[in-house]
Amino acid sequence: MKHSILVTGGAGFMGSHLVDQLIREGHDVTVVDNLSGGSLSNVNRNAHFIRGDLQDAKVCRKAVSGVDMVYHLAAHAAEGQSIFCPVYNAKSNYIGFLQLIEAAINSGVKMFVHTSSMSVYGRQEKMPMREEQHYNPKDPYAVGKAAIEQILPIYHDVFGLNYSILIPHNVYGERQNLQDPYRNAIAIFMNRVAAGKPPIIFGDGTQTRAFTYVRDCTPYIAKAGFAREAFGERINIGSEEVVTLNEVARIVLEEMARTDLKPIYAPPRPSEVKHSYCSSEKARRILDYKTTTPLKVGIHNMAEWVKKQGPQKFRYWKNLEITKKAPEVWTKRMQ
Ligand SMILES: NC(=O)c1ccc[n+]([C@@H]2O[C@H](COP(=O)([O-])OP(=O)(O)OC[C@H]3O[C@@H](n4cnc5c(N)ncnc54)[C@H](O)[C@@H]3O)[C@@H](O)[C@H]2O)c1
């Protein structure tokens, strides 16, 4: 059955892959995006595009008009940076979400798929992290994501809005914003290497993560809007191939054919969680989730794309809201 679907953040990295998928499946798709992190060139030609910010009630009303499903991906997603721009982050992500949900309830949207973040778990004793573990967010971005997760069941109980919460982690791949110096280690490493410079690692590089190739992620976000078993659930989604950042840097250098470069090390980032990866067991059960792309293959594919793009200039903020303890890499605007 054909649905009329809104994808917020559909000009961004994951949102644009999701839009392509939903259009391939035959749905009528509208994208709303303020282009703060995304790009018009990412937007599928067959989608309707609204340029606007979710903080604007009028934009939200227009975006949800005639829509029966919403996939909410818009966010200022620079987690580490959010410590240093808490007000901007809260307005963009939390207030933006509240404006959207208000409009969605008022216009009779039936299904709301939210992309949350593994950051809501923060620092945990037990690894890999599972859905039943408690919230322990360690930065304003994560606090905002956890707040949104807790609003959705309230609106379900009061207004009957169906929802599903997907919790992806460390997604990488083609169309990632290479100009963003604040997030996505693989993209930042690659962009520097493309410019002939070594990757910079915060800390000693023994942090562990599991990186998820974008094509192994967005099809399941799409599916969550239609799978009844996913309704009312929080579901981790992503690779379970755990690696250190040192290993990731090594693979990036290999796949970018620059093994002559050696990573350089900067002081650890304030409040960065050392070990962070999830179990996708629930996603396998509910969404028939499969990771099909090994890290080396995904990085190879992305490296081919990055080489075509060529090195991009990192775009730093003119003013962080707080500069105390901000990483020097950022305050010195290292390219
Ligand atoms: N990439 C990851 O590893 C990852 C992991 C976990 C969760 N997520 C979540 O997935 C979603 C998509 O992430 P992404 O990596 O594709 O990021 P992205 O920055 O590429 O996409 C986000 C898009 O939202 C837009 N946007 C931001 N604030 C907006 C606002 N207030 N109004 C309208 N548009 C706005 C940006 O312009 C951008 O196009 C985000 O919600 C993010 O928090 C991403």
Side-chain angles (χ1 to χ4, degrees):
M1 184 180 154
K2 182 174 171 169
H3 288 268
S4 187
I5 300 179
L6 172 69
V7 179
T8 74
F13 164 52
M14 287 163 57
S16 64
H17 286 275
L18 175 67
V19 168
D20 293 350
Q21 168 92 25
L22 293 169
I23 285 177
R24 272 197 301 274
E25 289 172 8
H27 302 293
D28 186 32
V29 178
T30 298
V31 168
V32 63
D33 200 297
N34 65 6
L35 300 183
S36 60
S39 151
L40 207 48
S41 61
N42 288 340
V43 181
N44 190 300
R45 279 162 195 265
N46 294 316
H48 316 277
F49 180 69
I50 300 170
R51 182 174 184 172
D53 196 299
L54 295 181
Q55 292 169 72
D56 184 338
K58 263 199 268 164
V59 168
C60 289
R61 278 200 295 274
K62 184 173 171 195
V64 296
S65 167
V67 153
D68 56 346
M69 298 176 73
V70 173
Y71 286 82
H72 179 45
L73 285 89
H76 183 70
E79 181 185 356
Q81 188 216 27
S82 70
I83 298 254
F84 305 97
C85 57
V87 177
Y88 180 94
N89 202 279
K91 283 185 179 165
S92 187
N93 296 359
Y94 188 55
I95 301 297
F97 161 78
L98 292 176
Q99 287 292 1
L100 177 67
I101 202 82
E102 176 197 301
I105 297 287
N106 283 333
S107 78
V109 166
K110 303 278 181 296
M111 178 68 197
F112 194 99
V113 179
H114 174 60
T115 45
S116 188
S117 156
M118 176 177 72
S119 65
V120 299
Y121 299 118
R123 213 161 282 136
Q124 297 278 335
E125 301 261 302
K126 264 206 208 150
M127 302 295 283
M129 297 183 292
R130 293 177 181 275
E131 291 82 353
E132 59 273 17
Q133 278 167 248
H134 61 284
Y135 294 117
N136 189 21
K138 291 292 163 206
D139 51 68
Y141 164 81
V143 170
K145 287 281 185 187
I148 293 173
E149 284 200 12
Q150 292 170 91
I151 297 274
L152 285 167
I154 301 174
Y155 281 83
H156 170 264
D157 292 350
V158 179
F159 300 109
L161 176 70
N162 281 319
Y163 71 91
S164 178
I165 297 169
L166 275 294
I167 307 176
H169 57 87
N170 295 297
V171 187
Y172 69 96
E174 297 88 334
R175 298 191 198 153
Q176 204 144 34
N177 181 357
L178 298 174
Q179 297 177 332
D180 190 338
Y182 300 112
R183 64 184 286 247
N184 303 316
I186 291 180
I188 296 174
F189 289 174
M190 280 192 185
N191 193 39
R192 278 191 48 97
V193 174
K197 295 173 191 165
I200 300 173
I201 295 177
F202 291 110
D204 63 5
T206 58
Q207 302 95 310
T208 51
R209 298 286 184 271
F211 291 87
T212 308
Y213 188 49
V214 66
R215 291 175 203 277
D216 285 345
C217 178
T218 46
Y220 298 96
I221 297 180
K223 206 169 176 183
F226 300 92
R228 288 214 76 82
E229 311 74 50
F231 291 13
E233 298 288 340
R234 306 171 63 237
I235 308 172
N236 296 337
I237 192 120
S239 162
E240 292 164 303
E241 187 183 342
V242 179
V243 286
T244 64
L245 278 191
N246 286 327
E247 285 171 63
V248 171
R250 186 185 56 73
I251 301 173
V252 165
L253 288 167
E254 259 174 34
E255 297 303 327
M256 294 289 290
R258 287 303 308 258
T259 46
D260 55 311
L261 298 172
K262 298 285 167 257
I264 52 178
Y265 292 86
R269 254 183 6 208
S271 208
E272 189 188 15
V273 177
K274 178 121 191 187
H275 301 291
S276 195
Y277 46 90
C278 290
S279 161
S280 288
E281 193 271 328
K282 185 171 177 182
R284 276 194 289 280
R285 200 162 20 89
I286 292 187
L287 297 172
D288 196 21
Y289 176 71
K290 291 180 188 70
T291 305
T292 52
T293 315
L295 182 62
K296 202 171 153 50
V297 173
I299 288 186
H300 173 82
N301 296 348
M302 183 173 175
E304 293 307 301
W305 175 77
V306 169
K307 285 181 212 160
K308 278 195 208 120
Q309 307 304 305
Q312 311 281 311
K313 202 164 183 258
F314 286 124
R315 286 171 59 186
Y316 285 96
W317 279 31
K318 283 209 181 73
N319 297 305
L320 292 169
E321 291 164 3
I322 299 171
T323 49
K324 270 186 209 166
K325 294 200 177 181
E328 265 197 3
V329 173
W330 299 350
T331 51
K332 290 192 170 157
R333 298 161 184 247
M334 284 175 69
Q335 287 297 328

